[in-house]
Amino acid sequence: MSDDVQHQLMELQTQFAFQEDLLSALNERVVEQDKELDRLKRMLLALQENYVKLADSLPQSGGEQERPPHY
């Protein structure tokens, strides 16, 4: 093999190694974000359930809010 071809081959191997590292790092980040997204979804569902419970526990005023006594 000529020196030029060997040099090109080494360049390609180096680029490939960097791309493998980058792909691995990106994959790890995607996995982390997926876990975070799942956690946030669970939190949102819990907040929605708490909101419904709180809204159900409030007295129904027929759409009218009572004025405070000082009015």
Side-chain angles (χ1 to χ4, degrees), residues 20-33:
E20 281 184 321
D21 289 343
L22 178 61
L23 186 59
S24 177
L26 289 172
N27 185 52
E28 288 176 22
R29 183 64 181 143
V30 168
V31 168
E32 290 171 10
Q33 287 181 340

Side-chain angles (χ1 to χ4, degrees), residues 38-53:
D38 286 340
R39 187 182 71 80
L40 290 171
K41 284 179 183 178
R42 287 191 306 273
M43 286 176 61
L44 180 59
L45 287 174
L47 286 171
Q48 286 173 332
E49 290 173 6
N50 288 340
Y51 176 79
V52 169
K53 288 176 186 176

Side-chain angles (χ1 to χ4, degrees), residues 1-66:
M1 246 190 250
S2 71
D3 287 340
D4 189 43
V5 173
Q6 284 182 337
H7 178 71
Q8 288 177 348
L9 181 59
M10 290 202 43
E11 280 292 318
L12 288 173
Q13 288 174 334
T14 302
Q15 288 177 3
F16 181 70
F18 281 120
Q19 287 178 353
E20 281 184 321
D21 289 343
L22 178 61
L23 186 59
S24 177
L26 289 172
N27 185 52
E28 288 176 22
R29 183 64 181 143
V30 168
V31 168
E32 290 171 10
Q33 287 181 340
D34 189 48
K35 289 177 184 178
E36 180 72 8
L37 185 58
D38 286 340
R39 187 182 71 80
L40 290 171
K41 284 179 183 178
R42 287 191 306 273
M43 286 176 61
L44 180 59
L45 287 174
L47 286 171
Q48 286 173 332
E49 290 173 6
N50 288 340
Y51 176 79
V52 169
K53 288 176 186 176
L54 180 61
D56 289 344
S57 70
L58 293 175
Q60 300 296 324
S61 63
E64 296 179 20
Q65 289 189 342
E66 295 181 27

